């Protein structure tokens, strides 16, 4: 079946460090790909998305490129801030109705 | 524009008790969803409703029922709560049209503990 695998957390970095959170997927067709972020005590918010191969999604300094050849959608940010501390979820959507989520990666940024 | 709202925010039940989680959206979305979030497992779909008057099972529907009361509201009911249903529950809704790209909008969640 369709699935998403994210790198294991938790991830702890210092402020201004470079961030990569790996995400790979398995799907029978050509999915749309998403990164969602969950701040403490809140629901999930869409961070960025990409709908076809080689598309780059970007928002708030975060970027991810849809790589069909490696079935990956890794999240990157050049210089993280304390306010980026959150749980990040990679997800895919093939049909009209369902999102399939990875297990989430907890990120903590220390000042 | 409140987006997706959920009530209650917190709930503690005893095994065997029943309760209904409420969800409403004001974005005129056709589709609505209920997920549960458990540590290390991401979000798993319980039920969804593609449009008013229809509901379908998701990945983990056992022990739950849903009602799509109207276009705005989608409730989740636990008829006889079990400790395994201790979780955080999220409601979501989805826009329609080619530009939506299946993006879902989430409520703030309900934290449920079953003793």
């Amino acid at each position: 079946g369709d699935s998403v695998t994210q790198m294991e957390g938790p991830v702890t970095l210092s402020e201004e460090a470079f961030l990569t959170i790996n995400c790979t997927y398995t799907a029978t067709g050509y999915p749309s790909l998403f990164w969602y972020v969950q701040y403490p005590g809140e629901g999930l918010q869409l961070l960025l998305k990409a709908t076809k191969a080689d598309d780059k999604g970007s928002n708030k300094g975060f970027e991810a490129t849809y790589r069909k050849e490696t079935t990956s959608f890794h999240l990157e940010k050049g210089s993280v801030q304390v306010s980026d501390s959150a749980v990040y979820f990679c997800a895919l959507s093939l049909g009209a109705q369902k999102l399939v989520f990875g297990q989430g990666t907890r990120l903590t940024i220390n000042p | 524009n409140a987006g997706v709202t959920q009530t209650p925010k917190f709930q503690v039940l005893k095994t065997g008790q029943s309760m209904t989680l409420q969800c409403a959206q004001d974005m005129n979305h056709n589709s609505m969803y209920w997920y549960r979030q458990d540590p290390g497992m991401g979000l798993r779909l319980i039920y969804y409703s593609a449009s008013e008057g229809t509901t379908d099972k998701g990945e983990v529907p056992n022990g739950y029922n849903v009602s799509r009361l109207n276009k705005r509201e989608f409730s989740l009911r636990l008829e006889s709560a079990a400790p395994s249903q201790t979780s955080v529950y999220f409601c979501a809704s989805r826009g329609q049209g080619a530009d939506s790209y299946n993006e879902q909008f989430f409520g703030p969640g309900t934290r449920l503990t079953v003793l």
Side-chain angles (χ1 to χ4, degrees):
Chain A
D2 305 321
S3 65
V4 175
T5 302
Q6 292 180 232
M7 69 185 285
E8 291 278 340
V11 174
T12 303
L13 296 172
S14 298
E15 205 164 22
E16 300 183 2
F18 184 87
L19 169 71
T20 300
I21 300 178
N22 290 338
C23 171
T24 57
Y25 67 89
T26 301
T28 52
Y30 299 99
S32 296
L33 300 173
F34 305 84
W35 277 101
Y36 279 83
V37 58
Q38 183 181 30
Y39 298 105
E42 299 183 10
L44 278 71
Q45 304 173 24
L46 181 67
L47 180 60
L48 53 82
K49 63 189 177 192
T51 58
K52 61 184 187 296
D54 300 325
D55 269 1
K56 178 186 283 188
S58 62
N59 186 26
K60 299 182 181 179
F62 290 90
E63 293 183 338
T65 301
Y66 187 168
R67 301 286 188 200
K68 186 178 142 188
E69 63 274 12
T70 55
T71 62
S72 65
F73 193 54
H74 304 321
L75 183 68
E76 297 181 335
K77 186 173 185 182
S79 176
V80 292
Q81 306 299 314
V82 172
S83 57
D84 294 326
S85 298
V87 181
Y88 291 82
F89 292 92
C90 186
L92 69 81
S93 177
L94 265 172
Q97 293 302 336
K98 298 180 184 177
L99 278 175
V100 176
F101 287 89
Q103 73 271 34
T105 302
R106 182 175 299 278
L107 173 67
T108 301
I109 307 300
N110 294 322
Chain B
N1 189 338
V4 180
T5 57
Q6 293 183 234
T7 55
K9 290 193 173 181
F10 301 94
Q11 184 71 50
V12 179
L13 295 177
K14 295 181 180 177
T15 297
Q17 287 185 316
S18 62
M19 80 161 294
T20 299
L21 282 64
Q22 306 286 353
C23 173
Q25 53 90 11
D26 61 2
M27 295 175 282
N28 200 35
H29 287 170
N30 283 337
S31 302
M32 298 184 72
Y33 309 81
W34 277 105
Y35 293 90
R36 61 177 289 172
Q37 182 182 27
D38 301 295
M41 300 188 74
L43 276 73
R44 293 181 292 169
L45 183 64
I46 305 171
Y47 271 93
Y48 67 99
S49 171
S51 61
E52 187 178 351
T54 69
T55 61
D56 285 287
K57 294 178 180 179
E59 183 184 353
V60 289
N62 291 345
Y64 305 95
N65 287 301
V66 290
S67 296
R68 184 70 183 267
L69 305 169
N70 47 55
K71 192 170 186 180
R72 291 188 63 249
E73 298 172 289
F74 188 39
S75 62
L76 178 72
R77 182 160 178 83
L78 287 71
E79 290 291 351
S80 179
S84 60
Q85 295 177 304
T86 294
S87 188
V88 181
Y89 291 85
F90 288 100
C91 179
S93 69
R94 172 184 167 267
Q96 54 270 348
D99 291 339
S100 73
Y101 296 116
N102 299 324
E103 175 183 351
Q104 294 184 15
F105 296 83
F106 286 79
T110 295
R111 186 174 295 274
L112 175 67
T113 302
V114 182
L115 302 175

